Amino acid sequence: MHRHERHARHAPGGIPLSRIITAAVPAHGHVGPLLAISADLVARGHEVVFLGGARFAGAAEKAGVRFVALPVEADFDDRDLDARFPGRSEVPAGPERIAFDVKHVFTEPIPAQYGALEKLLAEFPAEAVIADAFFQGALALALSRPREERPVVVCIGVAPLVFQSVDTAPFGLALAPLPGEAGRARNRALNEEMNRRAEPLQRYAEEVFAGLGVKLPEGPRGNAMVTVPDEFLQLTVPGFEYPRSDAPAAIRMIGALPSVVGNEHLLPAWWRELDGSRPVVVVTQGTLANADLGDLVAPAVTALADRDVLVIAATARKDGPEALTALLGELPGNVRAAGYVPFDLLLPHADVLVSNGGYGGVHTALRYGVPLVVAGASEDKPEVAARVQWSGAGLDLRTGRPEPADVARAVDEVLADGRFRECARALGAELAEHRPFDTIAELVESLGR
């Protein structure tokens, strides 16, 4: 019997059980979705091992998932990428920073990721590998041998889709689609220029994969992230992703993962003020790019100090309230600062979310029909911000460090113009039509049929 042939193991209801490896690059926004998927599959009776960064061992244990650490060559602390990757801080944000990250953060670790997968498969013969789309050791596994001789490889899109298309500008430019032939002509020219500039990076990636004995398919590297896996599941809905007439059928948009809300949260004393007596504006820089609250949280708090709104500054830092107070001297009377606060409890009370554009946080807002003002400059955040404005669900300030006056104008506009909330609610209804955990589980459970 081949090592990946299924043993006859079934849950009490007769559903075939699967052995599954889940994997993610060691960054919070990538690990969170994969651990949520892992926990759901474990709850359904499947045997799951999560392969990830050492600092997430505790989170995996809390999720009830067996944990295996990545080798040090593939591990890093996403809270301080500049320290782990010398020279990164000197690269301007935007396409140049994205190119740096593609090479050093996402391509250099591929051999170590692939080696870790192979080592784990030798003692845990999984039927499926479910990986964050940026964990590209999974692509090497998919290319390494015929489908019948390896696990099914499923990649999860945890950031805006990078597939290059005649209908879109290249990823990283944060340009919304233009209609008609003029738009396609623009995109062709921009894509050609981007591919020309990216040729050294493309050759480098091909060499890395060749060193593992596999060959990347022809075409842009970002397209291989979608076309190489057996399944590609994007955590969004069509209303929030640019249409691509040339996209492969392998891309399935399955909705956003719901957050898990426990009962361990002690709500702050100001929670009773969320009574609908005045508009609520939530401000956040997410869980990654929040080292300097002067980027967005402080300007937004300053901007809204004289408005008849309740401002919740969700800093996602234990020392966040103190750090914000130190920046501003004192907090305006209409501001309530918090460290960690569950968005699934808070956002149903919100009228606007001012965000730096984290993919998961934006989708959480949309699930509750909350319109947005977005100001993000790092990672994929400009692309997320551009989609917020394109979808009609909010405004993109096109900077990561806006002036208070610009934040004030944008919040005033979003509060005053009901079309933003209408669009956000429409996206919320579209998201509600999807059951991503069920979709993933049905895919896994179909392996034995």
Side-chain angles (χ1 to χ4, degrees):
M1 182 173 66
H2 191 272
R3 72 172 182 166
H4 294 300
E5 185 177 334
R6 171 177 294 281
H7 293 280
R9 300 179 299 127
H10 293 76
I15 296 173
L17 298 179
S18 296
R19 295 185 185 91
I20 304 153
I21 294 171
T22 55
V25 299
H28 185 274
H30 299 248
V31 169
L34 270 296
L35 275 184
I37 291 167
S38 303
D40 180 76
L41 291 170
V42 167
R44 295 171 190 258
H46 301 290
E47 192 175 356
V48 182
V49 176
F50 175 71
L51 178 63
R55 84 176 182 94
F56 297 101
E61 181 181 2
K62 187 176 180 181
V65 181
R66 177 186 160 196
F67 174 79
V68 172
L70 284 165
V72 294
E73 298 88 347
D75 203 356
F76 54 82
D77 189 333
D78 62 313
R79 296 168 296 186
D80 195 357
L81 290 175
D82 293 344
R84 173 65 170 78
F85 300 98
R88 184 178 186 271
S89 61
E90 301 165 15
V91 180
E96 291 181 62
R97 177 77 62 82
I98 289 175
F100 181 97
D101 288 349
V102 167
K103 180 175 183 178
H104 298 287
V105 181
F106 298 118
T107 305
E108 283 179 0
I110 289 173
Q113 293 172 355
Y114 176 62
L117 279 175
E118 288 284 49
K119 181 180 178 181
L120 182 52
L121 283 166
E123 59 98 357
F124 183 74
E127 287 88 19
V129 171
I130 302 177
D132 145 38
F134 290 84
F135 188 98
Q136 294 179 57
L139 301 190
L141 176 65
L143 292 166
S144 67
R145 44 197 179 271
R147 166 64 194 89
E148 62 274 9
E149 297 179 13
R150 58 166 175 79
V152 170
V153 175
V154 181
C155 284
I156 307 293
V158 300
L161 196 61
V162 301
F163 185 84
Q164 192 176 103
S165 167
V166 69
D167 298 314
T168 60
F171 188 91
L173 299 184
L175 294 175
L178 286 176
E181 182 52 39
R184 287 189 289 272
R186 179 203 72 171
N187 299 334
R188 280 192 291 267
L190 290 174
N191 286 332
E192 288 174 5
E193 175 64 14
M194 182 67 76
N195 290 340
R196 185 187 66 78
R197 290 177 178 271
E199 189 170 343
L201 188 58
Q202 180 80 8
R203 300 288 84 79
Y204 174 73
E206 290 170 355
E207 290 171 5
V208 169
F209 279 91
L212 299 173
V214 300
K215 187 179 189 309
L216 275 177
E218 297 294 328
R221 164 82 174 286
N223 289 16
M225 293 170 65
V226 171
T227 60
V228 169
D230 302 302
E231 301 278 350
F232 189 92
L233 309 179
Q234 182 71 27
L235 295 180
T236 193
V237 289
F240 195 70
E241 184 51 75
Y242 303 147
R244 294 166 170 83
S245 60
D246 48 2
I251 300 174
R252 296 168 60 190
M253 298 189 192
I254 65 171
L257 297 177
S259 302
V260 177
V261 181
N263 56 10
E264 71 276 10
H265 297 287
L266 181 63
L267 298 180
W270 49 257
W271 200 266
R272 64 175 66 94
E273 297 181 62
L274 303 173
D275 58 5
S277 60
R278 53 179 168 168
V280 175
V281 180
V282 177
V283 183
T284 186
Q285 288 179 210
T287 57
L288 178 57
N290 63 6
D292 182 1
L293 297 177
D295 286 343
L296 178 58
V297 174
V301 165
T302 300
L304 302 172
D306 61 348
R307 298 297 198 275
D308 185 22
V309 299
L310 178 63
V311 180
I312 308 300
T315 65
R317 287 170 45 175
K318 289 181 180 179
D319 68 340
E322 295 77 15
L324 183 59
T325 302
L327 271 176
L328 298 176
E330 63 177 356
L331 298 183
N334 66 337
V335 174
R336 308 292 177 264
Y340 296 94
V341 58
F343 267 25
D344 279 86
L345 297 179
L346 176 61
L347 287 180
H349 300 282
D351 294 277
V352 181
L353 174 64
V354 179
S355 163
N356 64 347
Y359 199 60
V362 165
H363 278 86
T364 301
L366 295 175
R367 281 199 289 109
Y368 293 107
V370 179
L372 301 108
V373 172
V374 188
S378 61
E379 296 87 36
D380 59 342
K381 293 177 175 61
E383 288 287 350
V384 178
R387 283 158 173 79
V388 166
Q389 182 151 316
W390 168 81
S391 70
L395 293 175
D396 174 11
L397 297 182
R398 296 193 67 82
T399 177
R401 199 176 177 97
E403 293 296 325
D406 294 328
V407 177
R409 279 193 295 269
V411 170
D412 288 345
E413 183 177 349
V414 170
L415 285 173
D417 191 337
R419 288 175 295 181
F420 293 107
R421 181 167 283 276
E422 289 175 11
C423 288
R425 286 175 172 169
L427 284 168
E430 188 177 358
L431 285 162
E433 295 173 358
H434 292 74
R435 297 289 184 272
F437 284 138
D438 290 346
T439 300
I440 294 167
E442 288 165 7
L443 173 61
V444 167
E445 289 159 5
S446 71
L447 299 176
R449 295 174 186 156

